[in-house]
Amino acid sequence: MSWYEATALCRWLSEKLSLETRLPHENEWQLAAQWDGKKQDRSRYFAWGGTEHDGDFAQRCNCGRTGLGHTSAVGLFPMGKAKCGAMDLSGNVWEWNEAVIGSYRGLRGGSFTTYGVGRYLHAANRYNAGYPTYESGSVGFRVSEVPEPTSLALLAL
């Protein structure tokens, strides 16, 4: 699915649910991947909290080391769950986000084809090779709900 198709689906979903949805902003995606329960912890190398040398990738995410060779159902790798509760932030599919870098769109998370796991599945890794028309079986997206705006009166409390 291209970036254009993913954003169009979010608009369609917003209308159907009467709830604003969109692709996550890049910083939101990274915050979810590095959240430790209290704050964003940039020392968290992977969403599940492992290190670069953590050797059980095939137990934690759908990457080249699993040998599946295709996408998998979300939640099939519960050991890779992020502290915030999000599943499959690493592996399965590269995920479109709202980042616009020149004529490229941002991709995060790695995919089932990713073999260079330490580099590409890293929670802070960004892949800028996505033209908005680019489509691939290893590229997908997740939907973010846009929260209701907070009133200024509540912020003053």
Side-chain angles (χ1 to χ4, degrees), residues 9-77:
L9 186 76
C10 288
R11 285 192 302 273
W12 175 84
L13 188 59
S14 292
E15 289 178 27
K16 290 293 180 191
L17 298 177
S18 298
L19 175 72
E20 188 177 353
T21 63
R22 59 168 166 72
L23 298 176
H25 293 294
E26 188 176 52
N27 62 335
E28 293 168 333
W29 192 100
Q30 187 170 343
L31 178 64
Q34 293 185 312
W35 184 253
D36 74 352
K38 297 176 185 158
K39 63 180 173 46
Q40 183 176 8
D41 181 0
R42 294 201 184 261
S43 67
R44 292 175 64 85
Y45 202 83
F46 298 106
W48 60 81
T51 67
E52 183 176 8
H53 306 290
D54 190 357
D56 59 354
F57 296 105
Q59 299 295 315
R60 299 190 180 271
C61 65
N62 185 3
C63 62
R65 292 188 185 175
T66 65
L68 289 176
H70 54 78
T71 58
S72 57
V74 173
L76 190 61
F77 297 87

Side-chain angles (χ1 to χ4, degrees), residues 112-127:
F112 67 91
T113 63
T114 302
Y115 282 92
V117 292
R119 177 177 173 204
Y120 294 110
L121 300 175
H122 185 300
N125 182 57
R126 172 199 292 148
Y127 189 60

Side-chain angles (χ1 to χ4, degrees), residues 75-127:
L76 190 61
F77 297 87
M79 289 176 60
K81 182 170 122 177
K83 188 77 167 183
C84 71
M87 302 295 288
D88 300 326
L89 286 169
S90 294
N92 211 18
V93 293
W94 285 100
E95 296 180 13
W96 290 116
N97 60 63
E98 285 289 334
V100 177
I101 306 102
S103 59
Y104 298 114
R105 299 300 185 270
L107 292 165
R108 289 299 201 103
S111 79
F112 67 91
T113 63
T114 302
Y115 282 92
V117 292
R119 177 177 173 204
Y120 294 110
L121 300 175
H122 185 300
N125 182 57
R126 172 199 292 148
Y127 189 60

